[in-house]
Amino acid sequence: MSHAYLIIDDSKLLHQMYQLIFSRPALAGSRLIHAFDGKAGLTQLSAHPEVRLIFLDLNMPGLTGLEFLARRRAESLQLHVPVVMVTTESSAEDEQRGLAAGAAAYLRKPFTPEQIEAVVARVTQPVQVASPS
């Protein structure tokens, strides 16, 4: 069974990079859903309940990544789907703001295919419930 991932970024080049990364053996068979701004991202998220993970750019025209997270929370739109904030912003304050707004992880551009594979594995792994002894 393939997994669906929502890519929200205003850069066409970044969408092409994700396409290449998700064609690698570790992520092969994944389906990417593309949005080029936050507003389109909300629309795509509404239309695709099968989305398993969102890669979200912080700085976009129109609706920014933080505004996307706020609107998503206000609309209770698939809140169970984790978000990876992906950005060129590298300060600790920017990272803290993204995590406080609801991102499950923060990834700095430029990223490597291995970083994407690792964050997908980490963020989408099932929660292990400890059994009572």
Side-chain angles (χ1 to χ4, degrees):
M1 180 171 125
S2 72
H3 298 292
Y5 300 96
L6 176 57
I7 311 298
I8 307 172
D9 198 301
D10 59 326
S11 166
K12 287 184 169 70
L13 178 61
L14 261 290
H15 283 271
Q16 292 170 346
M17 285 180 60
Y18 281 109
Q19 204 67 53
L20 286 170
I21 291 168
F22 278 87
S23 69
R24 292 166 51 106
L27 298 170
S30 300
R31 187 164 64 91
L32 299 184
I33 300 163
H34 299 276
F36 291 90
D37 61 50
K39 187 173 180 193
L42 289 169
T43 300
Q44 291 286 40
L45 189 58
S46 272
H48 294 280
E50 72 277 17
V51 167
R52 187 165 185 217
L53 180 63
I54 301 165
F55 288 92
L56 176 65
D57 187 17
L58 179 60
N59 297 315
M60 294 179 287
L63 204 61
T64 68
L66 292 176
E67 291 167 337
F68 169 90
L69 290 171
R71 288 265 307 272
R72 176 181 174 226
R73 185 179 309 145
E75 297 173 19
S76 296
L77 187 58
Q78 293 203 55
L79 297 178
H80 65 283
V81 177
V83 174
V84 176
M85 184 74 69
V86 185
T87 181
T88 56
E89 303 301 326
S90 59
S91 76
E93 295 81 24
D94 288 318
E95 182 171 352
Q96 188 52 43
R97 237 179 325 164
L99 296 173
Y106 194 91
L107 193 60
R108 286 174 183 80
K109 295 176 186 177
F111 49 78
T112 65
E114 292 79 14
Q115 286 174 306
I116 295 293
E117 291 170 1
V119 79
V120 166
R122 182 170 49 86
V123 174
T124 61
Q125 68 184 348
V127 175
Q128 298 294 321
V129 177
S131 56
S133 332

